[in-house]
Amino acid sequence: MSFMLLSALAWSLFDLARKKLTAHAQPLTLAIWLSAGVTPLYLLLWLSQGASLPEAGYWLPGPVSLLVSALASVCYIKALSVGRIALLVPVLSFTPVVAAVLSAGLLGERLSGVQLLAMLSIVLAIFLLHSGWNLLLRPKEAGAGLGLMLVVALCWGTGIVFDKMALTSATVFFHGLIQSAGMCLVLLLAYSVDSLRRRDRLSVPRYSGPWGLMALALLVFVLAVSGQWLAVTEIHPGIVETVKRGVGIIGAACWGVWLFGEKVKPWQLLLMLLIIVATAGLALY
């Protein structure tokens, strides 16, 4: 539970850092630098823990997790370029539902009635806080980005389930090394294909922003992902994903108020209170 809550807080901080970094790099370039930056960190952590190799059972769920995560990253970046992000973000609130359904089918882990009610309450609150009614009223305005974002939600919900399966046969740091290195290679391939499509000269993706902020983002990213993996080895993937998204949107609201002077409306406060109460119920139950 401690790892789950720590990871959720780290994800919130990482989202804030990533928002700052997008002012200095395109989404695909930033994703490449982040995956490339955490790869040596995971390598060092893996070596420091004895460099133990995984059991044979890792080599099915591990690559599947990598493939769905890579597909999600590519689709997410593409969705940002073809659709209205304000209309598309609410779709991601249903990621915990995907994780819960697949956990029941693949792992035999089912939520109790109380847990299911808490999870659905948080999902609905997040959907409304992201102004999801705009998507329901004007789905055509989302364009092709809607289908892409649905793929992202499906992949993220699938990935955390296969992470749990993979981590029964490998250490967290080995899994992190494989996932980050593989993600970097896939994103570099996507970058090269996009450059060739635009008939641009192939070159190394350049980042020109503050390196201190990049280093901080990398450390928080490793903390967020590693904490999530440590939590999911003991806790239902749907619960981990729900808490991550619930704490994330609460954190985003707090950063908006404290750092950017944004205003929070009474109905938003009520929904955030619902998320806090339901998250506490999930964690304590």
Side-chain angles (χ1 to χ4, degrees):
M1 185 176 69
S2 298
F3 282 124
M4 179 177 66
L5 295 175
L6 180 63
S7 170
L9 179 60
W11 275 117
S12 175
L13 292 171
F14 175 69
D15 287 339
L16 177 62
R18 183 166 53 183
K19 181 183 292 186
K20 294 285 188 180
L21 289 170
T22 52
H24 305 284
Q26 294 296 321
L28 181 55
T29 299
L30 180 59
I32 291 171
W33 274 95
L34 289 171
S35 58
V38 298
T39 298
L41 291 177
Y42 274 118
L43 176 60
L44 291 174
L45 290 169
W46 176 58
L47 292 174
S48 70
Q49 293 295 311
S52 59
L53 295 174
E55 299 173 4
Y58 176 81
W59 297 109
L60 176 61
V64 170
S65 175
L66 171 59
L67 288 175
V68 295
S69 296
L71 178 60
S73 294
V74 173
C75 289
Y76 183 81
I77 293 168
K78 183 65 176 177
L80 295 180
S81 65
V82 301
R84 292 177 55 190
I85 187 63
L87 286 176
L88 298 177
V89 167
V91 176
L92 300 179
S93 60
F94 294 103
T95 302
V97 178
V98 177
V101 171
L102 288 178
S103 293
L106 297 177
L107 303 175
E109 297 184 2
R110 290 174 172 79
L111 296 170
S112 68
V114 173
Q115 291 172 322
L116 184 60
L117 178 61
M119 186 191 76
L120 293 178
S121 298
I122 293 172
V123 167
L124 179 59
I126 295 173
F127 183 77
L128 294 175
L129 283 169
H130 281 308
S131 302
W133 58 81
N134 290 325
L135 177 62
L136 297 177
L137 294 175
R138 302 190 299 274
K140 291 183 179 180
E141 293 185 15
L146 178 58
L148 290 168
M149 202 61 86
L150 286 171
V151 172
V152 174
L154 178 62
C155 288
W156 281 352
T158 301
I160 193 172
V161 175
F162 278 89
D163 283 336
K164 181 161 189 171
M165 296 169 65
L167 289 168
T168 62
S169 304
T171 64
V172 166
F173 296 141
F174 178 84
H175 186 56
L177 175 61
I178 295 297
Q179 297 296 304
S180 57
M183 180 69 74
C184 184
L185 292 175
V186 171
L187 293 176
L188 282 172
L189 177 61
Y191 180 84
S192 299
V193 170
D194 186 59
S195 296
L196 291 173
R197 182 182 59 81
R198 292 184 284 107
R199 298 182 180 180
D200 291 341
R201 179 181 175 183
L202 289 178
S203 61
V204 177
R206 293 185 178 182
Y207 169 74
S208 58
W211 288 104
L213 181 59
M214 174 61 77
L216 179 61
L218 291 173
L219 291 175
V220 175
F221 186 39
V222 169
L223 180 61
V225 177
S226 301
Q228 176 176 307
W229 287 335
L230 288 167
V232 82
T233 59
E234 301 291 339
I235 301 176
H236 191 289
I239 293 178
V240 175
E241 190 68 20
T242 302
V243 171
K244 178 179 79 174
R245 303 211 166 271
V247 172
I249 198 166
I250 297 295
C254 292
W255 307 136
V257 172
W258 296 335
L259 300 179
F260 306 108
E262 298 176 357
K263 302 295 183 182
V264 178
K265 299 178 181 178
W267 65 269
Q268 293 173 317
L269 285 175
L270 289 175
L271 288 174
M272 285 189 282
L273 179 61
L274 172 62
I275 291 174
I276 292 172
V277 172
T279 300
L282 279 176
L284 295 175
Y285 190 84

